[in-house]
Amino acid sequence: MGPEVIVTVVIRDGGKYLLVKEEDGFWALPGGKVERGELLDGAARREVIEETGYDVAIKGVICVYQPTSIPNAPVIFTFRGDVQGRVGRGSLEHGWFTANEVENVASYPETTVLIKKADRWSETKVYDNLKVYLDF
């Protein structure tokens, strides 16, 4: 069996970024596992809604990466998302942080790197029923 596929979303609103406090106490980007039969951007939207209660429009991919320090590490697709509204409370504690605050509270070093990359993203496009997440 291959590695898991994980989606995370960088959401910026009013100069602040949305992070969730995971069960282990770590602050991180909202996201999680892609379920069987789910499209990547649909999984990203679902995870944000479940964890935070915010509905988001998934705009495109910021980065695709795989940690090399973990055996059989997941492949992680990080998207950029824009808040569309509030549809619930969310299952995890969450908060809005400035970029400087993210550097102080984020438990994973890639969180800071990914928010810095948030201005450079590739818009998701559809060509003849083919969803293209990264297009060079």
PDB file of all heavy atoms in Angstrom, residues 3-4 7 11 28 31 37 39 43-44 49 51 67 76 103 106 114 121 132:
ATOM      1  N   PRO A   3       1.616   5.558   0.225  1.00  0.00           N
ATOM      2  CA  PRO A   3       1.441   6.528   1.311  1.00  0.00           C
ATOM      3  C   PRO A   3       0.032   7.126   1.318  1.00  0.00           C
ATOM      4  O   PRO A   3      -0.648   7.149   0.299  1.00  0.00           O
ATOM      5  CB  PRO A   3       2.484   7.598   0.998  1.00  0.00           C
ATOM      6  CG  PRO A   3       2.704   7.493  -0.471  1.00  0.00           C
ATOM      7  CD  PRO A   3       2.508   6.037  -0.815  1.00  0.00           C
ATOM      8  N   GLU A   4      -0.384   7.609   2.493  1.00  0.00           N
ATOM      9  CA  GLU A   4      -1.658   8.323   2.602  1.00  0.00           C
ATOM     10  C   GLU A   4      -1.565   9.639   1.849  1.00  0.00           C
ATOM     11  O   GLU A   4      -0.481  10.179   1.653  1.00  0.00           O
ATOM     12  CB  GLU A   4      -1.966   8.670   4.064  1.00  0.00           C
ATOM     13  CG  GLU A   4      -2.330   7.517   4.928  1.00  0.00           C
ATOM     14  CD  GLU A   4      -2.629   7.981   6.339  1.00  0.00           C
ATOM     15  OE1 GLU A   4      -1.878   8.804   6.879  1.00  0.00           O
ATOM     16  OE2 GLU A   4      -3.621   7.487   6.890  1.00  0.00           O
ATOM     17  N   VAL A   7      -4.549  16.545   2.825  1.00  0.00           N
ATOM     18  CA  VAL A   7      -4.747  17.900   2.315  1.00  0.00           C
ATOM     19  C   VAL A   7      -4.702  18.879   3.486  1.00  0.00           C
ATOM     20  O   VAL A   7      -5.168  18.570   4.581  1.00  0.00           O
ATOM     21  CB  VAL A   7      -6.080  18.051   1.557  1.00  0.00           C
ATOM     22  CG1 VAL A   7      -6.046  17.293   0.239  1.00  0.00           C
ATOM     23  CG2 VAL A   7      -7.257  17.591   2.399  1.00  0.00           C
ATOM     24  N   ILE A  11      -5.478  29.563   4.883  1.00  0.00           N
ATOM     25  CA  ILE A  11      -6.603  30.490   4.774  1.00  0.00           C
ATOM     26  C   ILE A  11      -6.188  31.795   5.429  1.00  0.00           C
ATOM     27  O   ILE A  11      -5.856  31.821   6.612  1.00  0.00           O
ATOM     28  CB  ILE A  11      -7.845  29.913   5.480  1.00  0.00           C
ATOM     29  CG1 ILE A  11      -8.201  28.556   4.874  1.00  0.00           C
ATOM     30  CG2 ILE A  11      -9.014  30.894   5.394  1.00  0.00           C
ATOM     31  CD1 ILE A  11      -9.070  27.708   5.762  1.00  0.00           C
ATOM     32  N   ALA A  28      -1.719  23.918  13.851  1.00  0.00           N
ATOM     33  CA  ALA A  28      -1.375  23.553  12.483  1.00  0.00           C
ATOM     34  C   ALA A  28      -2.422  24.100  11.515  1.00  0.00           C
ATOM     35  O   ALA A  28      -3.477  24.590  11.928  1.00  0.00           O
ATOM     36  CB  ALA A  28      -1.299  22.037  12.357  1.00  0.00           C
ATOM     37  N   GLY A  31      -6.807  20.565   8.037  1.00  0.00           N
ATOM     38  CA  GLY A  31      -6.677  19.559   6.988  1.00  0.00           C
ATOM     39  C   GLY A  31      -6.758  18.163   7.537  1.00  0.00           C
ATOM     40  O   GLY A  31      -6.966  17.953   8.737  1.00  0.00           O
ATOM     41  N   GLY A  37     -12.476   7.914  -2.959  1.00  0.00           N
ATOM     42  CA  GLY A  37     -13.428   8.450  -3.918  1.00  0.00           C
ATOM     43  C   GLY A  37     -13.590   9.957  -3.884  1.00  0.00           C
ATOM     44  O   GLY A  37     -14.364  10.517  -4.656  1.00  0.00           O
ATOM     45  N   LEU A  39     -12.396  13.917  -4.327  1.00  0.00           N
ATOM     46  CA  LEU A  39     -11.462  14.782  -5.039  1.00  0.00           C
ATOM     47  C   LEU A  39     -10.652  15.563  -4.009  1.00  0.00           C
ATOM     48  O   LEU A  39     -11.131  15.851  -2.907  1.00  0.00           O
ATOM     49  CB  LEU A  39     -12.208  15.748  -5.956  1.00  0.00           C
ATOM     50  CG  LEU A  39     -12.936  15.106  -7.137  1.00  0.00           C
ATOM     51  CD1 LEU A  39     -13.734  16.165  -7.898  1.00  0.00           C
ATOM     52  CD2 LEU A  39     -11.951  14.415  -8.066  1.00  0.00           C
ATOM     53  N   ALA A  43     -11.981  17.302  -0.524  1.00  0.00           N
ATOM     54  CA  ALA A  43     -11.497  16.855   0.785  1.00  0.00           C
ATOM     55  C   ALA A  43     -10.978  18.038   1.595  1.00  0.00           C
ATOM     56  O   ALA A  43     -11.218  18.138   2.803  1.00  0.00           O
ATOM     57  CB  ALA A  43     -10.397  15.814   0.618  1.00  0.00           C
ATOM     58  N   ALA A  44     -10.276  18.954   0.936  1.00  0.00           N
ATOM     59  CA  ALA A  44      -9.739  20.135   1.624  1.00  0.00           C
ATOM     60  C   ALA A  44     -10.880  20.979   2.187  1.00  0.00           C
ATOM     61  O   ALA A  44     -10.850  21.382   3.363  1.00  0.00           O
ATOM     62  CB  ALA A  44      -8.879  20.959   0.663  1.00  0.00           C
ATOM     63  N   ILE A  49     -14.289  22.706   6.964  1.00  0.00           N
ATOM     64  CA  ILE A  49     -15.623  22.822   7.558  1.00  0.00           C
ATOM     65  C   ILE A  49     -15.710  21.989   8.829  1.00  0.00           C
ATOM     66  O   ILE A  49     -16.169  22.476   9.867  1.00  0.00           O
ATOM     67  CB  ILE A  49     -16.713  22.406   6.551  1.00  0.00           C
ATOM     68  CG1 ILE A  49     -16.815  23.422   5.409  1.00  0.00           C
ATOM     69  CG2 ILE A  49     -18.068  22.250   7.254  1.00  0.00           C
ATOM     70  CD1 ILE A  49     -17.706  22.981   4.259  1.00  0.00           C
ATOM     71  N   GLU A  51     -13.356  20.898  10.870  1.00  0.00           N
ATOM     72  CA  GLU A  51     -12.472  21.311  11.955  1.00  0.00           C
ATOM     73  C   GLU A  51     -12.758  22.715  12.488  1.00  0.00           C
ATOM     74  O   GLU A  51     -12.535  22.981  13.666  1.00  0.00           O
ATOM     75  CB  GLU A  51     -11.016  21.218  11.506  1.00  0.00           C
ATOM     76  CG  GLU A  51     -10.565  19.792  11.269  1.00  0.00           C
ATOM     77  CD  GLU A  51      -9.126  19.656  10.821  1.00  0.00           C
ATOM     78  OE1 GLU A  51      -8.446  20.679  10.599  1.00  0.00           O
ATOM     79  OE2 GLU A  51      -8.673  18.512  10.688  1.00  0.00           O
ATOM     80  N   PRO A  67       7.300  14.538   3.559  1.00  0.00           N
ATOM     81  CA  PRO A  67       8.433  14.552   4.494  1.00  0.00           C
ATOM     82  C   PRO A  67       9.363  13.370   4.247  1.00  0.00           C
ATOM     83  O   PRO A  67       8.905  12.247   4.028  1.00  0.00           O
ATOM     84  CB  PRO A  67       7.766  14.437   5.868  1.00  0.00           C
ATOM     85  CG  PRO A  67       6.361  14.896   5.655  1.00  0.00           C
ATOM     86  CD  PRO A  67       6.017  14.503   4.252  1.00  0.00           C
ATOM     87  N   ILE A  76       1.396  15.308   0.878  1.00  0.00           N
ATOM     88  CA  ILE A  76       0.558  16.393   1.378  1.00  0.00           C
ATOM     89  C   ILE A  76       0.368  17.457   0.298  1.00  0.00           C
ATOM     90  O   ILE A  76       1.338  18.000  -0.236  1.00  0.00           O
ATOM     91  CB  ILE A  76       1.178  17.019   2.644  1.00  0.00           C
ATOM     92  CG1 ILE A  76       1.373  15.921   3.702  1.00  0.00           C
ATOM     93  CG2 ILE A  76       0.302  18.157   3.170  1.00  0.00           C
ATOM     94  CD1 ILE A  76       2.216  16.317   4.880  1.00  0.00           C
ATOM     95  N   GLU A 103       4.564  32.056  13.515  1.00  0.00           N
ATOM     96  CA  GLU A 103       5.943  31.608  13.778  1.00  0.00           C
ATOM     97  C   GLU A 103       6.133  31.212  15.234  1.00  0.00           C
ATOM     98  O   GLU A 103       6.909  30.315  15.536  1.00  0.00           O
ATOM     99  CB  GLU A 103       6.939  32.692  13.384  1.00  0.00           C
ATOM    100  CG  GLU A 103       7.071  32.849  11.884  1.00  0.00           C
ATOM    101  CD  GLU A 103       8.193  33.789  11.494  1.00  0.00           C
ATOM    102  OE1 GLU A 103       9.244  33.794  12.171  1.00  0.00           O
ATOM    103  OE2 GLU A 103       8.015  34.501  10.494  1.00  0.00           O
ATOM    104  N   ALA A 106       3.040  27.919  15.818  1.00  0.00           N
ATOM    105  CA  ALA A 106       2.981  26.747  14.939  1.00  0.00           C
ATOM    106  C   ALA A 106       3.945  25.669  15.421  1.00  0.00           C
ATOM    107  O   ALA A 106       5.113  25.945  15.696  1.00  0.00           O
ATOM    108  CB  ALA A 106       3.298  27.125  13.502  1.00  0.00           C
ATOM    109  N   LEU A 114       4.777  27.311   4.567  1.00  0.00           N
ATOM    110  CA  LEU A 114       3.613  27.278   3.679  1.00  0.00           C
ATOM    111  C   LEU A 114       2.847  28.595   3.671  1.00  0.00           C
ATOM    112  O   LEU A 114       2.367  29.019   2.622  1.00  0.00           O
ATOM    113  CB  LEU A 114       2.700  26.115   4.055  1.00  0.00           C
ATOM    114  CG  LEU A 114       3.310  24.741   3.773  1.00  0.00           C
ATOM    115  CD1 LEU A 114       2.498  23.647   4.449  1.00  0.00           C
ATOM    116  CD2 LEU A 114       3.443  24.481   2.288  1.00  0.00           C
ATOM    117  N   TRP A 121       0.616  30.594  -5.869  1.00  0.00           N
ATOM    118  CA  TRP A 121      -0.181  29.382  -5.971  1.00  0.00           C
ATOM    119  C   TRP A 121      -0.628  29.190  -7.401  1.00  0.00           C
ATOM    120  O   TRP A 121      -0.634  30.099  -8.204  1.00  0.00           O
ATOM    121  CB  TRP A 121      -1.365  29.431  -5.015  1.00  0.00           C
ATOM    122  CG  TRP A 121      -2.243  30.639  -5.169  1.00  0.00           C
ATOM    123  CD1 TRP A 121      -1.992  31.893  -4.696  1.00  0.00           C
ATOM    124  CD2 TRP A 121      -3.480  30.714  -5.862  1.00  0.00           C
ATOM    125  NE1 TRP A 121      -3.001  32.736  -5.026  1.00  0.00           N
ATOM    126  CE2 TRP A 121      -3.935  32.055  -5.743  1.00  0.00           C
ATOM    127  CE3 TRP A 121      -4.258  29.802  -6.556  1.00  0.00           C
ATOM    128  CZ2 TRP A 121      -5.135  32.480  -6.317  1.00  0.00           C
ATOM    129  CZ3 TRP A 121      -5.453  30.227  -7.114  1.00  0.00           C
ATOM    130  CH2 TRP A 121      -5.876  31.551  -6.987  1.00  0.00           C
ATOM    131  N   VAL A 132      -6.919  19.783 -13.142  1.00  0.00           N
ATOM    132  CA  VAL A 132      -5.481  20.035 -13.100  1.00  0.00           C
ATOM    133  C   VAL A 132      -5.177  20.919 -11.898  1.00  0.00           C
ATOM    134  O   VAL A 132      -5.612  22.066 -11.835  1.00  0.00           O
ATOM    135  CB  VAL A 132      -4.991  20.701 -14.405  1.00  0.00           C
ATOM    136  CG1 VAL A 132      -3.500  20.984 -14.331  1.00  0.00           C
ATOM    137  CG2 VAL A 132      -5.324  19.814 -15.600  1.00  0.00           C
TER     138      VAL A 132
END
